């Protein structure tokens, strides 16, 4: 394990090396998973956007618990829009939104709220926003939903944005639903 940890940055970027790291993640104790995350601190954005390493990052999001995921998400939190627009990073952004709990997802909400108009119109970004709205407590998503509602008439007619508006209808408060319905009737 010491050799794997020492070589982790290079292994993650290698076509077959990433498979070794995935095997370690799948079989390792929490302490060893945490050690791997610590060794790769400061490199998570580069790894999330690397053709090979992104698969290891995705697998980490799928199999580890939030205690292990949290430092990775914390490092990526200010790069959400970049990840969504990246050909490899979008898969990582999707796995984060799909598998992380509210504590980790809450780290993404400020950037998601600032970029909501663009993310809602993006093929992958709309799914990330939907997961955030579905998986986070309403108290945390207020700014995100407010931004979406400001642009709701245009989003409702957009090929991807309409899914975000539908999600607000399903998950939002009564007031949010009322605002969407009122805008549709106007």
């Amino acid at each position: 394990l010491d050799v794997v940890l020492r070589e982790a940055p290079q292994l993650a970027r290698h076509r077959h090396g990433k498979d070794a790291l995935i095997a370690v993640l799948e079989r390792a104790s929490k302490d060893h998973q945490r050690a791997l995350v610590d060794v790769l601190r400061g490199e998570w954005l580069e790894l999330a956007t690397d053709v090979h390493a992104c698969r290891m990052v995705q697998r980490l999001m799928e199999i580890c618990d939030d205690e292990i995921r949290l430092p990775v998400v914390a490092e990526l939190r200010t790069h959400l829009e970049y990840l969504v627009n990246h050909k490899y990073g979008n898969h990582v952004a999707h796995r984060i939104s799909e598998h992380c709990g509210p504590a980790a997802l809450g780290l993404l909400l400020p950037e998601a709220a600032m970029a909501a108009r663009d993310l809602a119109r993006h093929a992958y970004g709309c799914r990330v926003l939907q997961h955030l709205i579905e998986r986070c407590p309403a108290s945390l998503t207020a700014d995100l939903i407010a931004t979406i509602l400001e642009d709701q008439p245009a989003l409702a007619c957009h090929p991807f944005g309409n899914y975000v508006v539908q999600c607000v209808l399903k998950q939002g408060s009564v007031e949010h639903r009322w605002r969407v319905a009122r805008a549709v009737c106007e």
Side-chain angles (χ1 to χ4, degrees):
L1 185 63
D2 290 336
V3 173
V4 171
L5 290 176
R6 190 172 46 252
E7 301 297 325
Q10 293 78 23
L11 286 171
R13 293 174 182 88
H14 188 271
R15 192 169 112 194
H16 301 296
K18 65 145 173 27
D19 296 327
L21 289 180
I22 289 171
V24 167
L25 282 171
E26 291 174 341
R27 293 168 181 82
S29 67
K30 266 178 115 167
D31 289 337
H32 290 133
Q33 289 175 341
R34 192 176 300 110
L36 180 60
V37 168
D38 289 343
V39 163
L40 296 171
R41 182 173 284 131
E43 299 194 44
W44 288 108
L45 180 60
E46 189 177 325
L47 295 173
T49 56
D50 179 84
V51 64
H52 302 297
C54 73
R55 294 185 184 267
M56 184 269 301
V57 181
Q58 290 173 61
R59 192 69 182 130
L60 183 144
M61 293 301 152
E62 293 169 353
I63 64 173
C64 294
D65 63 25
D66 268 3
E67 180 187 336
I68 306 298
R69 294 179 192 130
L70 199 59
V72 179
V73 175
E75 195 169 312
L76 296 174
R77 74 178 181 261
T78 58
H79 306 285
L80 179 62
E81 191 171 13
Y82 175 71
L83 288 173
V84 165
N85 285 294
H86 193 277
K87 80 177 181 180
Y88 306 120
N90 77 79
H91 299 286
V92 172
H94 187 260
R95 289 300 183 291
I96 290 170
S97 70
E98 187 176 42
H99 294 285
C100 289
L105 293 178
L107 297 174
L108 300 176
L109 286 170
E111 183 171 344
M114 288 188 308
R117 288 183 171 97
D118 293 329
L119 291 174
R121 289 175 171 83
H122 190 278
Y124 309 127
C126 70
R127 290 297 300 142
V128 170
L129 289 181
Q130 289 173 68
H131 283 136
L132 291 173
I133 294 167
E134 292 165 355
R135 300 181 52 115
C136 290
S139 60
L140 296 178
T141 59
D143 290 342
L144 174 61
I145 291 176
T147 303
I148 291 165
L149 290 176
E150 288 172 9
D151 201 23
Q152 183 268 319
L155 289 177
C157 299
H158 190 273
F160 303 121
N162 80 84
Y163 294 110
V164 178
V165 174
Q166 289 177 52
C167 185
V168 170
L169 277 170
K170 289 178 192 171
Q171 303 293 324
S173 67
V174 172
E175 179 188 337
H176 296 142
R177 293 179 198 148
W178 175 249
R179 287 179 61 189
V180 171
R182 191 173 58 224
V184 168
C185 292
E186 290 176 352

